[in-house]
Every structure is written in structure tokens, then in C-alpha cells.
Amino acid sequence: MSYEEESEGRLRRTRKVRRVQAERLPFMPYAAGPLIALGLLLLFAIWPFAFGVIERSAERAAVEALAGADAGWARPKASGQWIILEGTPPSKEAADSALQAVREAKARTLLGPARPITRVRDRFTLTEAADTPTGMPNGWSYRLSDGVLTLDGDMPNNDVRDEVLKAARAEIDPPRLISVRDSLTITNEPLPEGYISVALRGIDTVTRCDRGVASFSSNRFSISCELPGSDASAVREIALAPIALGEIGAVDIMAREAVASCESSLSDLLSGTQIKFNSSSAAIDASSSELLDEVAEAVRACPGNLRIEGHTDSTGLDETNRRLSQARAEAVRNALIARGVPATRLVAAGYGASRPIGSNRTADGRAQNRRIEIRVIRVSE
């Protein structure tokens, strides 16, 4: 075979291969179709699981953040990376603190701490106690906590503000009062007659407290104060004296010794014999009826408002435990209300397994962790 004939043969074979490939090429996408369909099927199958993982991670992070912020009364519900908070906050400050804690919540991942929550909103049921005391022009709130006096709200002009600040700073006396934080705003409203004396009354009373809140809202002066029992009558007398503007509202003076005595009595009652519940249920066992009678009597003798705290061991899912502890705390609250304790004095909070007092590795430790505790709500909480 000559060179020309061999070249011609190779050329014909090449053309034939190309023709066959060209004929097959249009059918290649159809061959990939089943693979694409299989991929989509897997995606739809995995997506609900992945979505659920995201929700559980966000909700778990929210629960841990709320427990750290002492906001067990708040119940988080996840929707994707959204968190909705429900519950009845004991105060406006508590509501704001819970929202902020969840916004900053972090979850543990293989790459380190991450924020799984993108949006937070609330569906809180606000009580009268949770309303802000500064919802009107020239209303104010002075809060003393941990040695810091925070002045918040409205002042009609700079002269009044300066006089209030001067009076507050004159009361600095560590460790009870270390510093004054000015968060006052100027409204440039007309100065009501008698306003300055009421504003200074707030400084005079709240700075005598270990911790406390004095407020003026809707022309009503109110104060909540925790202090040594030896000073209680003097502060109460000052707080209840007639004022030149408005009227006297709630005056809640709690003696430090009375708070300690109350919590000691409740601790003795509940550590000796725990309130019993049906297994994995919030239904109170009938055998605890007599104990609840004693608890109700002790609570009625306590000052201020009280928080009923539910706790579980670490068995099971975190969110399940938190919900169970919340339900049990609410069941105890209802039982005490039925025994004559005013509902307005009681708040229920569930902390799940986040605050153990015993080892969850032993049966005895887990039994200790499944408990109800009742504490006086401090003025600054």
C-alpha cells in the first residue's frame, strides 16, 4: 500500500469516528438527566434534616444564653436562624437583657464559636411591673446596683439635671455607692412646680439602699429598696412623706435580714423534702401537698416578689429539660396561688440542666439536680 493510500485510509477512519461522535453527542445530556434527578432528590431529602440541625443549634444557643443571663422565664422558639422569645418578663430591663443575650448567643462548632442566630424578636407578655417608668416627658428612673447609680429618663432642662447629678455624686460612699452613671436626656419641657424636690427625693431615698430603684412616672413617685433592717423605717418614712408634685406610688422597702431569713426558710423546706412530680411530667405528686402548704406559708411571710426556679438533671435533650423545668416551676406557682399567695408576687423560671448542684454522673447527683428553688427577686433584677 502506497503512502497516499494509507493516508487516505486514516482520513476516512477519522471522519467516520467524528461522524459517530457527532451522532451520539445530542444524546449525552439525556444520559446525565438521571444523575441530576438523583442529586435533586438527595438535596430535597437532606434539606429538612439540615434545616432541623440549624434550628436546634440556634435554639440550644439561645437557651444557654438565657440561662447565663438569668432569664429562664423566656422561652425561645427557632424558625431557621430566627429566634422568637416568649414569656412574661419581670421587668422591662429583664426583657431587654434577654433579647440582648440571645442576639449575642454563640454555638460551638468544629471551627470554634459561631453565632447561629441572625434575627431575634419577642412576643413577651408585659405586666404592669415590666412597664418602663420613663414613658412620659420628665419621667425618670434612678437604679442602684453593684455600687453603680444609673440615672435614666428625662429632665426638663440642664439646670435640673446638673442639680440632680450634684446631689447624686455627693452621696458617693464606697462600697455601697462607687460611681454615678448619667443617662439623662433633656426635654426642654416647662419645669413643673415642685419637680426638683421630687427629683431630689429620689436621690435621697435610693442612695440609702444597698440596691434599689426610685422612679417618677405619670406624676407618681415609687421606690423599691433593699437595705439593712436598721435603716428600713427611716427610708420608708422619707419615701412616704408628702411630695410637692404628684402622689406617692408603690413603696417597697425590703430589709436585708428579712430577705436572708426568707430564703433560708425556703431552702430548709425544699432541701429537706423536695416537691415531687410524676416522672417526666409537670404534674405534682399528691404526696407533696402538705409540703406546698408549708411553702405557701413561708412565701407569704417573705418580702417582695419571688421567683420559682425549676431545674432538671442532664438526662435527655437540653430544650426538653428546659421546657419541663419551666412547666414544673409554673405548676408550683399555680399551686401556691391556689393556697392564697398573690399571683403578682410570683414568677416562674425554668433553667433545665444548666445549673447543677450535684454530679450528673451519679444517681444521687441527678436526684439533687431535679429540684425546685424559690428566691426573692432582688430589686436590681
Side-chain angles (χ1 to χ4, degrees):
M1 179 182 296
S2 67
Y3 176 77
E4 290 80 3
E5 291 174 339
E6 185 177 351
S7 297
E8 182 67 24
R10 282 199 300 270
L11 182 60
R12 283 196 299 270
R13 287 193 296 273
T14 300
R15 288 173 177 171
K16 183 178 180 181
V17 169
R18 289 178 177 174
R19 187 168 57 252
V20 171
Q21 289 177 341
E23 291 173 353
R24 292 179 178 176
L25 188 60
F27 296 96
M28 290 182 66
Y30 296 101
L35 294 176
I36 295 173
L38 180 60
L40 291 173
L41 184 62
L42 288 173
L43 179 62
F44 282 111
I46 293 173
W47 174 248
F49 174 77
F51 196 72
V53 170
I54 293 172
E55 286 190 337
R56 286 193 295 274
S57 175
E59 197 164 296
R60 189 180 302 112
V63 169
E64 292 176 355
L66 290 169
D70 198 19
W73 51 265
R75 299 184 296 276
K77 292 185 178 180
S79 177
Q81 289 182 281
W82 277 71
I83 288 290
I84 300 172
L85 293 182
E86 298 179 342
T88 303
S91 66
K92 178 64 165 57
E93 290 79 7
D96 293 340
S97 176
L99 287 167
Q100 186 62 29
V102 173
R103 290 189 186 101
E104 298 175 355
K106 292 185 178 181
R108 293 180 293 274
T109 70
L110 295 176
L111 300 178
R115 290 185 177 178
I117 300 168
T118 57
R119 297 285 182 86
V120 182
R121 60 191 178 99
D122 72 86
R123 292 178 181 168
F124 292 149
T125 302
L126 294 177
T127 62
E128 183 178 352
D131 292 337
T132 176
T134 58
M136 61 168 291
N138 300 330
W140 46 257
S141 172
Y142 308 152
R143 176 177 294 270
L144 175 61
S145 177
D146 298 325
V148 178
L149 176 61
T150 301
L151 309 180
D152 193 12
D154 300 331
M155 290 285 139
N157 57 55
N158 279 311
D159 290 340
V160 176
R161 171 181 170 274
D162 291 344
E163 191 165 348
V164 168
L165 282 172
K166 180 181 178 181
R169 287 167 178 156
E171 298 295 335
I172 291 178
D173 182 21
R176 182 178 52 83
L177 178 55
I178 300 171
S179 64
V180 176
R181 181 181 299 157
D182 175 20
S183 297
L184 296 169
T185 57
I186 306 302
T187 63
N188 293 315
E189 297 281 338
L191 177 62
E193 184 177 352
Y195 182 86
I196 295 179
S197 66
V198 177
L200 295 178
R201 169 79 64 87
I203 297 295
D204 188 25
T205 50
V206 77
T207 54
R208 296 171 185 261
C209 307
D210 288 343
R211 60 179 76 192
V213 179
S215 64
F216 184 68
S217 177
S218 301
N219 279 340
R220 179 172 294 182
F221 170 77
S222 302
I223 182 167
S224 296
C225 177
E226 184 179 331
L227 74 177
S230 57
D231 299 332
S233 59
V235 174
R236 185 178 288 106
E237 183 178 350
I238 295 171
L240 291 173
I243 54 178
L245 175 66
E247 59 184 11
I248 302 296
V251 175
D252 185 10
I253 308 296
M254 294 195 299
R256 183 197 305 159
E257 297 84 353
V259 173
S261 175
C262 161
E263 292 189 335
S264 177
S265 298
L266 290 170
S267 177
D268 290 343
L269 279 172
L270 295 174
S271 61
T273 305
Q274 270 292 332
I275 297 172
K276 296 179 180 179
F277 298 87
N278 295 339
S279 179
S280 300
S281 167
I284 300 175
D285 191 277
S287 63
S288 293
S289 179
E290 185 175 341
L291 174 59
L292 284 167
D293 291 340
E294 296 178 18
V295 170
E297 184 177 353
V299 165
R300 282 193 291 269
C302 288
N305 298 327
L306 297 98
R307 181 173 54 247
I308 302 165
E309 302 177 350
H311 304 271
T312 68
D313 60 32
S314 62
T315 305
L317 299 175
D318 291 345
E319 177 58 15
T320 301
N321 287 333
R322 192 200 65 78
R323 289 177 179 173
L324 178 61
S325 65
Q326 179 70 34
R328 287 180 170 178
E330 290 175 354
V332 173
R333 178 178 183 270
N334 292 335
L336 296 179
I337 292 171
R339 287 165 170 78
V341 180
T344 54
R345 294 190 60 203
L346 302 175
V347 174
Y351 297 102
S354 64
R355 299 183 178 185
I357 58 173
S359 172
N360 279 304
R361 296 181 179 179
T362 66
D364 288 343
R366 289 191 294 273
Q368 292 177 43
N369 293 334
R370 297 189 296 269
R371 68 195 189 279
I372 291 289
E373 295 178 337
I374 303 178
R375 303 181 187 278
V376 176
I377 298 176
R378 294 299 196 268
V379 171
S380 59
E381 294 182 18

